[in-house]
Amino acid sequence: MNEAKSATGIGASVKRKEDVRFITGSGCYTDDINQPGQSHAAFLRSPYARARIESIDASAALEIEGVIAVLTGADMVADGLGDIPCGWLVKQKDGSDMVSAPHPPMAATQTNYVGEPYGVVIADTLAAARLGMEAVLTDFTELDAIVDLATVRDSEQIHEGVEGNLAFDWELGEREATEAALASAAHVTRLDLTNNRLIPNAMEPRAALGIFDKVSGEHTLYTTSQNPHLARLVLSAFVQIAPEHKLRIVAPDVGGGFGSKIFIYAEETAVIWAARKVGRPVKWTADRSESFLADAHGRDHITHAELGTDEEGRFVALKVQTTANLGAYLSTFGSAVPTYLYGTLMAGQYSTPNIYVEVQGVYTNTAPVDAYRGAGRPEATYVVERIVETAARELGRDPVELRRLNMIKPDQFPYETPVALVYDTGNYEASLAKALVHADYAGFAERRAAAAAEGKRRGIGLACYIEACGLAPSNLAIQLGAQVGLYESGEIRVNPTGSVTVFTGSHSHGQGHETTFAQVVSDKLGIPFEDVEVVHGDTGRVEFGLGTYGSRSLAVGGSALIRAAEKLITKGRRIAAHMLEAEVDAVEFIDGDFLVKDSNQSLSFAEIAFAAYVPANYPEDLEPGFSEKAFYDPENFTYPAGTHIAEVEVDVDTGVVELKQFVAVDDFGNVINPMIVTGQVHGGVAQGAGQALLEQAIYDEFGQLVTGSYMDYCMPRADDVPDFTVDTTVTPCTHNPLGVKGCGEAGAIGSPAAIMNAVTDAVGDNSISMPATSEKVWRALR
């Protein structure tokens, strides 16, 4: 391999291409885009968690200078717009379909959570739109809010026909075998857990700009989306905004998503519809209060778990019962997160022979709940790793040794779990061993004694997590309820001079795809890294794609590009064979050159590209041009795994928890860019620390969001986290051409359990729930 390639190819910590524009303020986000004659939108939002809309009087608003129109949910119904669908249809225990309540883009007759939009004011300026919004008089009849998970099943129906407010009653695994194993276990550990509701808080709030061309009938929507093609599909096929060929979705630079920008929201739907109604571009950007109220939230489970062990401490059975808060409506993947992305991970890294999971998904008068960084996998890891740690304490066993005893061994792969997954490869003990060294686990007792001498309590906690990424394969996912395939597309378009433009259906919103995808393509084709441009986020330029979520981009999108590159190489060998008067089988492609075996004859990649576009000496049976497309549909999930170790110190007088040390050793398979991977882990761990120690979305009994601003919703800051120690082990994925597994969510999956295990170790109380605020810890210490 030449030095230039090794410095920028796979495995090199190349500085991110996109950062130049970001750190110089030259990024182009949706709010930066403006159109001549554009108008502005301000949404009418419900002040009540549950209320009937009796009447809307917009006459005063329409008299305000600059106000163009006041449009309502009833107007959408009159225009024949459809509901926003859930993208995953879950089957219940009895085989029946889940109960999916209607989800109108804007409420027409009843609002079901505080902040739900039921109308929109369009005006020449944002100031006029907000004045108009305040002038609209809406007559509501307030209804009792249903917000308490403990009583939701016995409360009034939120949606007509949804008995007990139950969307689904789902199960996975063998109940009878699991209960029998628990009944005969030498010891059973029981634990009640709460996975607190989180608000995503991406740096960039959601925004949308709708444009309608009345001459061509074309609609263009600029929006903060993680998967613009899916947005186009839903808005055309289900909401019926416009035919798909007349609807273009563009997601320019997006300032973070963490899952919350996967979904189809009311505001972007209303903006593109309103643009057609008023005949002018319509722009909307959320303020932070709107984001708190109306962005999809994450997590929000209550769980009872039971883990049975035999006389030697081997796990014999795990039973999990969870109630999942879905919010007022089923969001795009709201049904999949607490079921197939949760229950299937209950085996963790362990060879537990009997596992049974049941989940009741319920509607409440709160904002919809959907995927948030990790999406089901953090919740599963939290259950498994908290109960394993608790079992170790009850049994008087070292938590490390109990985990080692029960871990799946390298010679057991591929390993089929009792909850429907087949792990292809892994070496969990290697990650554990390396993490223990980094954390100086052997020296913890000394550090604990030193803290005690200063009147503080020190605790250490582990989490040995596994996650399923790169959601796949399509046929299996569709059988399980997915409404779309889960493949990805890629196109490599080679210019006549040999430079390359890459088109991917994946979307980058902080992950660094413009760098890592360029590394993959430059490495495969042997061309300079600087000669590769990556294009994404535009349905008008990229053929099709399923976007970015579930740590799927490199494993699925990158694999599609590898396949496209292989097609180019195959075509290039034919061109080279013709030009060099050799047999195709005699032509090799090595480091960007087409070489004839056992000779000094060769042509560069750029020379072949030029010949493809200027076919003076060219195979007669081969069409000109040098561009290839490919779709890649994985045959299995990928399974990143690792060990996270947290160490905390607790101030006995105040209950304040200080995260003193955090070690993450992860197996992501082959790593394309170690620097980017390290950054992804850092961000995920910080978010996990936020959940464990600080963050919680709280609704009061009336369904009002109490934590509706940064004054009340505590986000982690730089001084809340220590320097992280990040390392990797490598067992390459066996079924994708890059051998990669995905890294974007791991930090947020392992860290909450590790930190809470450390906190409960320090305090000596397993009942402390997330977030472990100073008040909770102080009370526990008392």
Side-chain angles (χ1 to χ4, degrees):
M1 181 182 292
N2 62 58
E3 291 185 8
K5 180 179 176 181
S6 64
T8 58
I10 290 175
S13 290
V14 182
K15 290 183 179 179
R16 302 198 330 170
K17 283 187 173 187
E18 47 270 73
D19 283 352
V20 173
R21 71 175 185 272
F22 292 151
I23 64 177
T24 58
S26 302
C28 182
Y29 300 89
T30 298
D31 191 57
D32 294 321
I33 300 169
N34 294 291
Q35 290 287 304
Q38 78 182 16
S39 57
H40 296 264
F43 282 89
L44 304 171
R45 298 187 182 275
S46 175
Y48 303 111
R50 185 165 170 245
R52 281 196 305 271
I53 302 171
E54 304 293 358
S55 64
I56 300 172
D57 182 358
S59 57
L62 291 170
E63 293 178 0
I64 294 173
E65 184 177 356
V67 171
I68 300 167
V70 177
L71 306 172
T72 67
D75 294 328
M76 278 189 158
V77 172
D79 274 9
L81 268 62
D83 288 340
I84 297 174
C86 177
W88 202 294
L89 303 182
V90 168
K91 292 288 186 180
Q92 303 199 69
K93 289 178 181 177
D94 61 4
S96 63
D97 291 336
M98 69 182 189
V99 184
S100 185
H103 184 186
M106 292 197 299
T109 59
Q110 179 172 313
T111 62
N112 285 310
Y113 64 94
V114 172
E116 181 176 6
Y118 64 92
V120 60
V121 178
I122 311 298
D124 292 332
T125 65
L126 180 57
R130 287 178 171 170
L131 283 173
M133 174 185 68
E134 293 171 359
V136 173
L137 298 177
T138 305
D139 182 18
F140 291 102
T141 297
E142 186 176 4
L143 306 172
D144 290 338
I146 315 300
V147 295
D148 187 355
L149 286 184
T151 60
V152 63
R153 295 296 313 282
D154 299 319
S155 301
E156 295 179 33
Q157 291 182 14
I158 294 173
H159 301 286
E160 185 177 349
V162 182
E163 295 182 6
N165 296 308
L166 183 67
F168 53 80
D169 187 7
W170 178 87
E171 66 179 350
L172 183 65
E174 298 294 331
R175 181 173 194 145
E176 289 186 7
T178 301
E179 290 179 344
L182 283 170
S184 62
H187 180 84
V188 177
T189 297
R190 296 176 175 86
L191 191 62
D192 292 308
L193 297 165
T194 298
N195 212 291
N196 40 321
R197 178 182 279 239
L198 303 175
I199 299 175
N201 281 298
M203 187 176 293
E204 177 203 23
R206 290 189 295 115
L209 171 61
I211 304 165
F212 174 66
D213 186 328
K214 63 182 180 181
V215 175
S216 65
E218 293 182 354
H219 302 66
T220 301
L221 176 66
Y222 290 89
T223 185
T224 48
S225 174
Q226 295 179 217
N227 48 3
H229 283 93
L230 182 61
R232 183 180 67 170
L233 177 63
V234 170
L235 289 174
S236 61
F238 296 94
V239 183
Q240 300 180 341
I241 288 289
E244 197 167 6
H245 68 290
K246 292 292 186 181
L247 179 59
R248 177 188 177 195
I249 310 289
V250 183
D253 289 330
V254 174
F258 314 120
S260 69
K261 293 174 182 174
I262 298 172
F263 324 121
I264 313 304
Y265 284 99
E267 293 87 357
E268 60 205 41
T269 306
V271 159
I272 187 63
W273 168 71
R276 186 175 68 219
K277 294 284 285 185
V278 302
R280 289 170 60 177
V282 177
K283 184 176 183 177
W284 167 79
T285 300
D287 60 32
R288 189 57 68 178
S289 293
E290 288 180 292
S291 296
F292 271 92
L293 290 170
D295 285 5
H297 294 178
R299 316 288 194 248
D300 207 349
H301 290 186
I302 56 173
T303 294
H304 176 75
E306 299 181 4
L307 176 66
T309 52
D310 65 15
E311 293 82 358
E312 297 178 356
R314 295 186 184 278
F315 305 156
V316 297
L318 174 66
K319 183 180 178 182
V320 177
Q321 299 166 293
T322 294
T323 300
N325 191 344
L326 305 172
Y329 304 102
L330 279 172
S331 184
T332 307
F333 292 115
S335 58
V337 172
T339 54
Y340 290 110
L341 297 180
Y342 172 68
T344 55
L345 275 300
M346 285 299 169
Q349 297 185 6
Y350 311 112
S351 54
T352 311
N354 301 288
I355 301 175
Y356 176 73
V357 187
E358 57 183 345
V359 180
Q360 293 185 333
V362 295
Y363 293 109
T364 62
N365 291 121
T366 61
V369 176
D370 210 314
Y372 174 68
R373 199 170 191 168
R377 283 72 54 86
E379 296 93 314
T381 295
Y382 192 69
V383 171
V384 173
E385 289 304 297
R386 288 284 289 113
I387 201 166
V388 167
E389 190 86 8
T390 303
R393 293 170 188 170
E394 291 181 357
L395 294 168
R397 301 286 292 267
D398 183 332
V400 171
E401 294 311 314
L402 186 65
R403 286 178 168 88
R404 275 195 174 126
L405 176 67
N406 288 282
M407 276 182 173
I408 301 162
K409 304 301 186 282
D411 61 1
Q412 292 179 268
F413 292 100
Y415 180 83
E416 185 172 356
T417 75
V419 278
L421 296 182
V422 178
Y423 301 164
D424 63 325
T425 185
N427 188 341
Y428 307 143
E429 291 182 74
S431 297
L432 174 60
K434 186 177 277 192
L436 292 171
V437 172
H438 281 305
D440 186 21
Y441 189 78
F444 173 69
E446 184 178 338
R447 295 191 296 279
R448 171 174 265 175
E454 296 178 0
K456 295 187 177 183
R457 295 204 184 179
R458 197 145 181 139
I460 195 165
L462 288 80
C464 297
Y465 77 91
I466 190 167
E467 55 171 322
C469 298
L471 306 182
S474 290
N475 60 352
L476 176 60
I478 291 169
Q479 289 175 31
L480 296 177
Q483 299 300 288
V484 293
L486 295 171
Y487 51 80
E488 195 48 85
S489 70
E491 178 184 0
I492 301 176
R493 193 177 299 170
V494 185
N495 300 311
T497 56
S499 61
V500 163
T501 303
V502 171
F503 298 86
T504 176
S506 300
H507 184 273
S508 181
H509 39 278
Q511 294 90 343
H513 294 170
E514 293 174 37
T515 301
T516 51
F517 282 16
Q519 286 181 260
V520 167
V521 172
S522 69
D523 190 280
K524 183 69 175 179
L525 298 180
I527 60 177
F529 171 77
E530 297 77 13
D531 287 354
V532 182
E533 178 190 10
V534 177
V535 174
H536 61 91
D538 187 344
T539 65
R541 300 185 67 187
V542 178
E543 182 173 1
F544 197 79
L546 273 300
T548 291
Y549 46 86
S551 301
R552 72 190 299 271
S553 296
L554 269 175
V556 189
S559 294
L561 291 175
I562 288 291
R563 286 196 170 175
E566 289 170 347
K567 289 182 180 180
L568 283 171
I569 291 168
T570 298
K571 184 173 184 178
R573 289 177 62 233
R574 290 190 62 188
I575 299 170
H578 177 86
M579 295 176 69
L580 298 173
E581 299 180 349
E583 295 295 325
V584 173
D585 290 344
V587 177
E588 299 177 307
F589 182 71
I590 301 174
D591 287 347
D593 292 314
F594 293 88
L595 311 166
V596 178
K597 297 176 184 177
D598 303 321
S599 79
N600 61 356
Q601 292 181 293
S602 68
L603 289 168
S604 69
F605 183 84
E607 288 174 312
I608 294 297
F610 189 79
Y613 288 102
V614 187
N617 182 14
Y618 200 73
E620 292 183 0
D621 60 342
L622 196 64
E623 62 185 31
F626 211 35
S627 175
E628 293 289 352
K629 299 176 182 177
F631 285 78
Y632 178 76
D633 196 347
E635 61 185 61
N636 191 3
F637 291 96
T638 63
Y639 298 99
T643 295
H644 291 185
I645 302 178
E647 198 166 320
V648 303
E649 199 167 79
V650 176
D651 187 309
V652 177
D653 294 325
T654 64
V656 171
V657 177
E658 183 181 357
L659 184 57
K660 302 294 287 188
Q661 175 181 264
F662 197 95
V663 172
V665 177
D666 304 287
D667 180 0
F668 298 134
N670 294 331
V671 172
I672 305 300
N673 187 313
M675 180 188 69
I676 288 177
V677 166
T678 298
Q680 287 288 310
V681 174
H682 280 199
V685 171
Q687 284 180 283
Q691 175 171 18
L693 300 175
L694 301 167
E695 299 182 49
Q696 184 174 16
I698 299 173
Y699 286 90
D700 68 14
E701 61 183 307
F702 304 106
Q704 296 294 327
L705 183 63
V706 177
T707 53
S709 75
Y710 291 131
M711 294 295 289
D712 307 295
Y713 187 92
C714 188
M715 297 280 287
R717 297 196 261 186
D719 61 353
D720 290 313
V721 294
D723 290 335
F724 304 131
T725 300
V726 176
D727 204 347
T728 58
T729 58
V730 179
T731 58
C733 176
T734 61
H735 55 79
N736 69 55
L738 288 166
V740 298
K741 296 182 179 181
C743 71
E745 298 165 296
I749 290 171
S751 56
I755 293 169
M756 287 304 295
N757 282 337
V759 171
T760 55
D761 179 50
V763 177
D765 183 349
N766 280 329
S767 68
I768 298 173
S769 62
M770 295 190 292
T773 61
S774 56
E775 179 187 357
K776 283 184 187 177
V777 172
W778 183 86
R779 291 185 182 280
L781 287 166
R782 294 299 169 277

